[in-house]
Amino acid sequence: MRRRDLLAAASALPLALAPVPQPAAQEAAALDAAFAAGGVALLLRHALTEPGIGDPPGYRLDDCRSQRNLSAEGRAQAERLGQELRARRWRFDEVRSSRWCRCVDTARLAFPGRQVEVLEALNSFFDDRGAATARTEALRGWLLQLGRRNAALITHQVNIAALTNTGAAMGEGVILRVAAGELRPLARWPVR
């Protein structure tokens, strides 16, 4: 399936939010304040991978060698991402990841020394479109329970598009705020 077909399918889900705005540089202070107040999630697509779409036939989640993994450039990208987040001094109370190795590796490289926990709601449904609605509802429910915690969530393009109606290249994502029982998109990441 082509990327534009995936985006179209994901954006057709009824759970999608309105498209995410890209903030002006002067709005960076508002993002800093949002992270300081809590209840914010960075929903991030894994860093750059070896060429390909999806995973090789016969891949297994318990065998990273069978999956499409981060490239050397992707590992460096994840490290830079972590450096930028630390420079911003945004607080992350937890780091969660899809079970796929490229996501777990992105999380570990961007947040060195932090515990990375798998959150099943972040798992890709690229190969199982029937799981899209249930997985997106589960992620929405998890986010709505965030309270004042901030979370970094590393996942896949299809998951981000289904929840936010916004595409994300590898290493990019969306910043969401949980407020009044709703998810509100604040900005795209990285903030430009």
Side-chain angles (χ1 to χ4, degrees), residues 74-190:
R75 289 189 290 279
Q77 180 189 39
E79 289 172 351
R80 284 190 310 273
L81 175 121
Q83 292 166 358
E84 186 171 344
L85 290 170
R86 287 187 294 282
R88 287 182 172 270
R89 298 186 177 159
W90 288 346
R91 171 180 54 89
F92 289 97
D93 301 298
E94 53 193 289
V95 179
R96 301 287 181 120
S97 174
S98 159
R99 185 170 302 283
W100 270 252
C101 297
R102 57 187 171 268
C103 293
V104 172
D105 290 345
T106 298
R108 288 182 177 151
L109 290 165
F111 299 93
R114 296 289 305 268
Q115 179 178 353
V116 176
E117 295 182 45
V118 168
L119 177 62
E120 299 295 329
L122 296 170
N123 285 349
S124 177
F125 48 82
F126 182 83
D127 291 331
D128 182 9
R129 297 304 170 169
T133 300
R135 198 146 305 144
T136 303
E137 287 177 0
L139 179 55
R140 179 185 297 278
W142 189 91
L143 285 163
L144 290 174
Q145 299 299 314
L146 200 57
R148 304 300 269 173
R149 297 182 334 268
N150 293 336
L153 307 172
I154 294 75
T155 189
H156 307 267
Q157 163 60 25
V158 292
N159 302 70
I160 293 170
L163 183 69
T164 69
N165 199 28
T166 300
M170 289 183 247
E172 294 182 345
V174 176
I175 299 169
L176 301 171
R177 179 173 190 87
V178 179
E182 294 180 9
L183 298 178
R184 296 187 181 152
L186 295 179
R188 294 181 60 86
W189 175 263

